[in-house]
Amino acid sequence: MNPVNFALQFKLIDMKHSLKPGAYLFVMIAVLFTACSKNIDTKSNATSLVTSNASSATTYIVNVTTIAGKYGLQGDDDGNGSKARFWNPTKMVYDDRNHILYIADGTVIRSMDAQNNVKTYLPFGVINNFDEILDMDVTPDSIGGSLYFITEENCLYKIEPKGNSYKLTTIVKRIYGGNEIGKLNKKDHFDIPRGLATGKNGDVYFFNESWNTIHHIHFTSTSPFDGTVKTFAGAPSFDRGGESGPFQDGAGDAATFGRGVWDMCADGHGNLYVADYSDDLVRKVTPAGVVTSLFQYKNGLGIDVDGPVSQAQANKVDHVSATQNGKSIYFTTFGRYGYHSPALRIVKPGVNVTTLVGKNPTNWGDGSGDVAGFGEIGGIATTPDGKTVYVSEVANKVIRKVTVQ
């Protein structure tokens, strides 16, 4: 049986319990018609869209290699390439000043240089051994190039690199979650902060998953403790009885975000990009707090489709990374039904969406974009020029490198 058709059957089973009978019958007929068409899958669907809009098509030369860790083997060993071991590699950020990739590995931060030498940067035990790192980002070099990270117990830390060592500052230390604004450390500001990004002016932005809101910290002096938390974008879900919708773009709290936002990043212009998992979108938030969608909202259609942004679709966007100029936004979509691998995709704002890796839903391995595949992705990071994308795999314990031309 064609694996895509098999996946569609599972999708029908899942939808049957959430749709009214008439709606379910309509969806079933539509899917059967699709399944009977010649060579229909997400790749051929994307091809037909690009062909009908040839002026918007973009061709990329993509290659994937495994550069650190050993498939399926976990540990905390430092070393070069395959000699290194990881426990739980997730969120990453690339520091262009020294060409270092920082990798969150549970409660530890690892670093990897351009020669794939992996070292332990923030060792085990420095922060709470059960306080997983949820996201991190590096501020622009013009304002110090500090590394900020947030954790599961609603804490915010700052690392200032000092040669081969560092200075760690605990800015906010909270266990109980909240969505409060005001002076830092006076109230509970963080509640499962799944996304973190730094603005070009040194402000720190974070996404509270429990509330579906983006807040930002404006530091009013050089002291990391002298700051104020302010609202930025997203209507608090608790104000709507815990519901995250309905979907809405707009300014500030006129916009809404879906449940399960897991990642956020920024470009060099101060724009934020949000991996809106439940809404199947990459959202852009300007420095003024205006939220827009980079391709169309399809309300949980559940497939990846390439093509012009007016027609492109996504399935469960879970990670996002932007180039410095904001002209290329990389994102991943979530593999479903066990044997489907995740996809790495790129959106050119206002132009098109293209799948770079994951076109074959059953593959895992290195090679060109057409044949390579990923396991469960924990995070992505791109170089400022967008020519290299790093991908961490949680279960497989490896770091992959994707070159894009």
Side-chain angles (χ1 to χ4, degrees):
M1 177 183 292
N2 186 312
V4 175
N5 294 345
F6 185 64
L8 289 170
Q9 290 185 23
F10 271 88
K11 181 69 176 176
L12 282 172
I13 293 171
D14 181 58
M15 294 175 67
K16 184 175 183 180
H17 297 286
S18 59
L19 295 176
K20 294 181 180 180
Y24 170 69
L25 178 60
F26 174 80
V27 172
M28 183 175 67
I29 292 171
V31 171
L32 288 173
F33 177 81
T34 301
C36 292
S37 301
K38 183 177 180 181
N39 295 327
I40 291 294
D41 57 19
T42 55
K43 180 178 177 182
S44 57
N45 232 1
T47 301
S48 64
L49 285 174
V50 172
T51 301
S52 63
N53 296 271
S55 62
S56 69
T58 306
T59 301
Y60 299 92
I61 300 173
V62 180
N63 190 61
V64 181
T65 54
T66 302
I67 59 172
K70 191 75 170 178
Y71 182 93
L73 297 181
Q74 67 180 21
D76 56 7
D77 300 340
D78 291 340
N80 178 260
S82 61
K83 294 181 179 179
R85 297 289 180 269
F86 299 94
W87 280 104
N88 188 40
T90 53
K91 296 305 177 69
M92 302 182 295
V93 61
Y94 184 81
D95 189 346
D96 192 47
R97 296 169 307 151
N98 49 19
H99 308 294
I100 294 292
L101 180 72
Y102 294 104
I103 305 160
D105 194 10
T107 62
V108 171
I109 296 178
R110 318 289 292 280
S111 66
M112 184 173 68
D113 64 18
Q115 289 73 46
N116 305 330
N117 294 306
V118 177
K119 297 180 180 179
T120 299
Y121 185 67
L122 182 77
F124 184 77
V126 173
I127 64 173
N128 189 313
N129 293 343
F130 303 98
D131 196 10
E132 296 275 335
I133 297 170
L134 297 182
D135 204 0
M136 55 186 179
D137 199 13
V138 174
T139 60
D141 191 35
S142 60
I143 53 175
S146 298
L147 175 67
Y148 287 90
F149 65 95
I150 48 175
T151 65
E152 197 166 37
E153 291 189 350
N154 304 312
C155 302
L156 174 66
Y157 296 89
K158 177 183 180 180
I159 292 179
E160 298 170 85
K162 297 173 68 68
N164 293 324
S165 62
Y166 61 85
K167 176 185 176 182
L168 176 69
T169 302
T170 303
I171 298 176
V172 175
K173 192 171 182 63
R174 288 281 191 270
I175 294 178
Y176 301 104
N179 198 51
E180 299 289 341
I181 60 175
K183 295 291 289 184
L184 269 175
N185 280 307
K186 299 298 182 182
K187 299 180 180 179
D188 292 325
H189 307 295
F190 299 95
D191 199 359
I192 314 181
R194 291 288 183 183
L196 179 95
T198 58
K200 63 179 181 178
N201 61 351
D203 284 358
V204 173
Y205 299 82
F206 61 92
F207 190 96
N208 275 338
E209 184 188 22
S210 296
W211 300 77
N212 296 80
T213 56
I214 300 177
H215 285 180
H216 83 286
I217 304 170
H218 177 66
F219 296 101
T220 52
S221 75
T222 56
S223 169
F225 306 105
D226 190 7
T228 303
V229 179
K230 301 179 180 181
T231 58
F232 188 62
S237 58
F238 278 21
D239 290 351
R240 303 185 303 279
E243 297 298 324
S244 59
F247 168 82
Q248 185 65 53
D249 283 335
D253 61 5
T256 60
F257 294 96
R259 284 289 187 190
V261 167
W262 290 351
D263 200 15
M264 190 164 70
C265 70
D267 64 20
H269 303 294
N271 298 302
L272 304 182
Y273 301 92
V274 179
D276 194 338
Y277 181 88
S278 298
D279 286 333
D280 301 318
L281 286 171
V282 177
R283 314 287 290 279
K284 177 181 178 179
V285 191
T286 69
V290 178
V291 181
T292 56
S293 301
L294 295 190
F295 43 89
Q296 64 175 344
Y297 171 67
K298 293 296 289 185
N299 194 21
L301 189 59
I303 59 174
D304 287 347
V305 175
D306 289 352
V309 293
S310 61
Q311 300 178 13
Q313 300 164 198
N315 173 49
K316 308 304 179 191
V317 177
D318 50 4
H319 301 287
V320 64
S321 187
T323 56
Q324 183 75 5
N325 61 16
K327 293 184 178 181
S328 295
I329 313 302
Y330 292 94
F331 66 100
T332 61
T333 50
F334 186 67
R336 305 187 74 183
Y337 310 117
Y339 61 86
H340 275 224
S341 64
L344 175 65
R345 310 178 71 197
I346 183 172
V347 52
K348 296 280 191 180
V351 184
N352 58 22
V353 177
T354 306
T355 298
L356 302 175
V357 183
K359 299 176 183 180
N360 188 322
T362 61
N363 279 5
W364 185 93
D366 294 342
S368 68
D370 288 335
V371 301
F374 298 121
E376 179 187 355
I377 294 175
I380 63 173
T382 183
T383 54
D385 59 9
K387 293 182 179 180
T388 301
V389 184
Y390 297 95
V391 179
S392 65
E393 294 192 13
V394 180
N396 295 333
K397 317 300 181 187
V398 293
I399 307 300
R400 317 286 295 282
K401 179 180 180 179
V402 184
T403 58
V404 183
Q405 299 178 31

